[in-house]
Amino acid sequence: MSYRGGRGRGRGRGGRGGGYYGGSSGGRGSQGPQSFDSSKPNTGGDNGGSHSDLVELLRRLDGKQYPAYHDIESSTRGWVNNIEGYTLYIGKAQGDPYAKPTRCRVIVKGDTAKFPPVSHQNKVRSVALGDYLNRVFYQSCKDMGANVKAREANWNGPKGGDIEISMPTQHVIEQSAVRILPNGDICAQFTVNLPARGRSILGYKAVQIFDQTLPQLVQKSLIYTSLDANVVTRHVLNVEDQEWVRSNLEIRGLVAFVPDGAVLPRMSGADDRPMDDNLKDGDNSKLVRFHSPDTLRVSFDLPNMGKTLAGIGIRKGITLIVGGGFHGKSTLLSALQVGMYNKIPGDGREFCVCSSTAVKIRSEDGRNVSEVNISPFISNLPFGKQTDCFASPDASGSTSQATNIMEALEMGAKTLLIDEDTCATNFMIRDDKMMELVHKDKEPITPFLYKVKTLSKQGISVILVVGSCGDFFDVADTTILMDSYSCYDVTNRAKQIAASRASNNGALAASRASFGNVTPRCPVGTAFNPNNGKITVRSKALIAYGDVELDLSGLEQIVSREQTNSIALALQRLTALENGSKMTIFQVLTQLNALLDHEGLEALTNGQFDGSLARPRTFEIAGAINRLRVDGSFVQLK
């Protein structure tokens, strides 16, 4: 396998302005160190010098009180290790052994790292290479025991001493832990828990970290000659080919593709690795690799890997995934809902791709709703409550699902992914018997069944898992059957069944009507100031925003805590919106997306050496904004 030129999109920027190396401004790591006297450091300031200066300083700090660690801070000048060919930058040192670890950055010169320029010649390859190096750095930390904290027997025992870098997932996403700068330098960002005994500095232990452990990590994980070149090449080109297939869906009239041989089931609900293909005798499960039906099979000639990839092509329009319980319907949809992210080789879902504008829709009882026009689905509520500017701190299943659809459309979604298991039944369907008992004038909800065809006519595709209601056969363009994890095209049979039954007049009538309006909304900047100034990401699905808990569990396409970290930072940027701003949420986040394209994730952190970020889509950022329980967060643009 060899590199081929010219593939992918243009390169992204790796830093802000000229400040790739330190903070938002400052000197380049490749420059020689300024003179530094380790006996007279700039206390609590931005020091820097040679690597030997840092070692000597740490020795002098041994036994001093913990806050003296501030003397090693070097956010712009850096500690230059000419022998190993890198510069170390140390951010604001932690104030005590129990505080958050100290953020650090290493810049390895391109002529030291020696990665072939073709390996990072465009944005896709650069992201893929950075992802691979992050994985190697993370694994090297584990293998060397560098990520193990000192075990403290008591208050006076040793503490800290561990090096941590962001833990990679099965997905290849732009991240801030390791990235390739435009000039070919490698930037790695991690944390060091500065060692102590009680509150006294363990200076010689710190010397061991920075003089022995860190140089070994750099050599093992960030230098091309230390790595298996074939594995590096395979990783980068595999990821680029995945992106190429995704970019070709539109011109092929497709919204998704799943290759033959894909492993869709995961190890467990808590383990995103692929199910083991070598199950032992007596296991109740059996791995069935995906195989496409002949009638829906399409193929792609991969530009880098030099082979033809065949699989199912899911066409634009309305696609049903049907079948009995536990036969693989939701497993297929689960693979599609993360199909906008590339995967690592060996994940099993490589080349299982979906439109980048696909959004998973579900109901969310109790979610916050702010000024959303849900009238295309819900109107004539009791007591005259309006639905063209609907707000609620405690939405029902049906109103929350209507809101999720309208918010997705507001942000430009072109494909909706829906599983009936997580839907409000009264929002999805309403059968003839119920319509006869409860007249339509007394029912505020227009079921999704009656609106899905009008959505399709406006260019919105729908992939729907359904196992309990055949009424959707009337409106489906394609019907896929999952039987014991095997896939079959049953479109013709479904249409025959629909034609043999009495037509659903309500669905047919609604399909001839317009869908309704998506009303744009403008976020109000002052509403997003956290009232106590503190913002903490507690988990992938939970942000403490001031004294408000922001629940993101309904945003199923967030795949890492690092994405949530970025979302929390993006929320804070809304406070900069001017009073009376007429920028819609779509415009605000489109502008932010362009900034991230230009400056990378550094744009969110202002040079704080934050290696804990991964890039979220605008859909998930908008989802977080929409769910934040604050008063007056939106006004509709009339």
Side-chain angles (χ1 to χ4, degrees):
M1 186 183 299
S2 61
Y3 285 112
R4 295 176 58 174
R7 298 290 178 190
R9 299 177 183 173
R11 286 188 53 80
R13 293 280 299 278
R16 305 193 65 184
Y20 297 123
Y21 294 84
S24 57
S25 62
R28 292 174 58 94
S30 58
Q31 295 175 343
Q34 301 178 26
S35 60
F36 175 79
D37 186 350
S38 62
S39 65
K40 299 178 181 178
N42 180 14
T43 303
D46 183 16
N47 289 298
S50 69
H51 175 71
S52 59
D53 290 333
L54 174 62
V55 170
E56 179 61 26
L57 176 57
L58 289 170
R59 288 171 178 158
R60 289 178 178 272
L61 293 179
D62 186 60
K64 291 187 177 181
Q65 289 296 297
Y66 201 87
Y69 264 133
H70 288 299
D71 291 351
I72 70 173
E73 293 172 358
S74 182
S75 59
T76 59
R77 292 176 59 193
W79 303 101
V80 181
N81 190 329
N82 286 317
I83 296 176
E84 301 291 344
Y86 69 81
T87 301
L88 167 68
Y89 298 88
I90 301 175
K92 185 177 180 181
Q94 60 203 91
D96 64 68
Y98 296 99
K100 290 183 178 180
T102 300
R103 291 175 177 174
C104 298
R105 170 184 289 176
V106 158
I107 300 292
V108 183
K109 299 176 185 178
D111 56 6
T112 299
K114 295 187 182 302
F115 284 90
V118 70
S119 68
H120 51 86
Q121 68 179 15
N122 56 53
K123 180 64 177 288
V124 175
R125 290 188 179 188
S126 180
V127 168
L129 179 57
D131 172 86
Y132 182 79
L133 299 183
N134 179 30
R135 294 175 192 279
V136 177
F137 196 111
Y138 177 83
Q139 189 60 46
S140 296
C141 277
K142 291 183 64 177
D143 293 344
M144 294 170 58
N147 63 336
V148 179
K149 297 179 181 179
R151 294 184 178 181
E152 50 182 294
N154 52 55
W155 167 259
N156 293 319
K159 303 174 182 66
D162 50 300
I163 299 176
E164 296 274 2
I165 197 165
S166 181
M167 183 173 69
T169 68
Q170 296 296 106
H171 309 278
V172 179
I173 305 174
E174 182 179 352
Q175 41 76 33
S176 64
V178 182
R179 55 199 171 93
I180 289 78
L181 303 183
N183 63 356
D185 291 356
I186 309 298
C187 174
Q189 300 187 134
F190 49 91
T191 62
V192 176
N193 204 351
L194 298 173
R197 183 181 297 278
R199 288 186 57 83
S200 297
I201 290 174
L202 288 177
Y204 286 91
K205 173 63 176 175
V207 168
Q208 181 182 353
I209 292 171
F210 290 110
D211 189 42
Q212 298 177 32
T213 306
L214 183 57
Q216 290 180 48
L217 281 172
V218 171
Q219 182 64 38
K220 287 175 178 288
S221 57
L222 304 180
I223 307 299
Y224 183 64
T225 54
S226 299
L227 306 173
D228 186 326
N230 289 330
V231 176
V232 175
T233 300
R234 175 173 173 259
H235 186 93
V236 171
L237 297 186
N238 185 288
V239 170
E240 187 178 46
D241 276 350
Q242 292 179 55
E243 189 66 31
W244 180 85
V245 173
R246 186 179 298 103
S247 69
N248 277 269
L249 291 176
E250 176 69 25
I251 61 176
R252 299 283 292 271
L254 305 175
V255 294
F257 172 78
V258 181
D260 292 339
V263 178
L264 304 185
R266 301 292 91 188
M267 288 285 285
S268 72
D271 189 340
D272 199 36
R273 293 176 299 170
M275 179 183 284
D276 191 352
D277 200 3
N278 299 306
L279 296 174
K280 298 178 181 179
D281 292 339
D283 284 328
N284 294 324
S285 321
K286 180 182 179 182
L287 175 62
V288 178
R289 291 177 176 268
F290 186 85
H291 187 75
S292 58
D294 293 341
T295 51
L296 298 177
R297 185 173 294 124
V298 299
S299 63
F300 293 90
D301 295 325
L302 302 181
N304 288 318
M305 300 178 70
K307 68 178 184 179
T308 298
L309 191 69
I312 188 172
I314 299 180
R315 304 185 186 102
K316 292 181 178 181
I318 302 168
T319 299
L320 304 184
I321 303 175
V322 304
F326 308 101
H327 280 258
K329 304 186 303 298
S330 295
T331 299
L332 174 57
L333 191 73
S334 293
L336 295 177
Q337 77 182 39
V338 292
M340 58 289 307
Y341 304 122
N342 297 318
K343 312 296 188 302
I344 61 172
D347 172 79
R349 299 168 298 182
E350 310 99 302
F351 301 100
C352 179
V353 298
C354 194
S355 165
S356 60
T357 61
V359 176
K360 176 71 186 304
I361 300 296
R362 59 170 298 156
S363 66
E364 290 179 73
D365 284 15
R367 69 150 285 191
N368 182 69
V369 180
S370 299
E371 316 302 325
V372 180
N373 180 7
I374 59 172
S375 62
F377 293 105
I378 300 175
S379 60
N380 302 320
L381 289 177
F383 313 112
K385 184 174 178 63
Q386 296 299 307
T387 60
D388 58 353
C389 190
F390 182 76
S392 173
D394 187 25
S396 67
S398 57
T399 55
S400 65
Q401 189 164 349
T403 296
N404 287 341
I405 291 175
M406 300 307 294
E407 289 173 346
L409 297 178
E410 181 183 16
M411 285 304 300
K414 295 298 182 183
T415 302
L416 305 181
L417 308 175
I418 304 175
D419 189 334
E420 68 173 5
D421 283 354
T422 56
C423 290
T425 302
N426 62 336
F427 177 81
M428 296 299 292
I429 57 172
R430 190 163 178 258
D431 64 20
D432 293 337
K433 296 184 181 68
M434 187 59 69
M435 285 191 285
E436 185 174 344
L437 181 63
V438 181
H439 194 268
K440 64 180 181 179
D441 292 341
K442 297 296 183 180
E443 174 52 73
I445 302 172
T446 301
F448 185 73
L449 170 66
Y450 299 168
K451 287 289 188 177
V452 65
K453 204 68 177 178
T454 59
L455 275 173
S456 178
K457 290 178 179 179
Q458 295 183 23
I460 308 300
S461 295
V462 176
I463 301 177
L464 171 62
V465 169
V466 59
S468 62
C469 180
D471 286 349
F472 281 98
F473 295 170
D474 292 299
V475 295
D477 299 305
T478 304
T479 304
I480 298 168
L481 171 69
M482 296 300 293
D483 183 359
S484 299
Y485 287 85
S486 295
C487 183
Y488 302 91
D489 179 7
V490 294
T491 302
N492 291 336
R493 179 57 180 150
K495 289 182 177 181
Q496 290 172 1
I497 293 171
S500 67
R501 305 292 194 271
S503 297
N504 188 322
N505 294 324
L508 293 175
S511 69
R512 299 189 184 101
S514 64
F515 173 74
N517 296 319
V518 178
T519 305
R521 298 170 302 141
C522 305
V524 179
T526 54
F528 294 91
N529 278 307
N531 50 15
N532 65 9
K534 295 181 179 180
I535 300 173
T536 304
V537 175
R538 301 198 185 281
S539 69
K540 183 179 75 172
L542 186 63
I543 300 173
Y545 199 84
D547 62 0
V548 177
E549 287 202 342
L550 175 54
D551 182 3
L552 305 181
S553 58
L555 301 176
E556 299 178 42
Q557 290 164 293
I558 296 176
V559 295
S560 73
R561 180 169 178 155
E562 286 73 15
Q563 285 183 307
T564 305
N565 292 337
S566 297
I567 289 172
L569 292 171
L571 282 171
Q572 298 174 62
R573 296 181 65 89
L574 293 176
T575 61
L577 289 173
E578 297 179 358
N579 290 335
S581 169
K582 297 299 183 182
M583 288 188 68
T584 65
I585 185 172
F586 178 82
Q587 292 170 332
V588 168
L589 295 186
T590 298
Q591 188 179 84
L592 174 61
N593 213 37
L595 179 66
L596 295 178
D597 282 341
H598 186 254
E599 298 188 10
L601 292 164
E602 282 283 285
L604 297 175
T605 65
N606 195 28
Q608 296 176 16
F609 305 168
D610 191 346
S612 68
L613 306 178
R615 187 161 176 177
R617 301 190 306 164
T618 55
F619 296 106
E620 282 68 57
I621 300 175
I625 295 170
N626 289 324
R627 285 161 176 77
L628 188 61
R629 296 180 183 277
V630 292
D631 295 331
S633 56
F634 283 95
V635 294
Q636 286 190 350
L637 185 64
K638 299 293 187 179

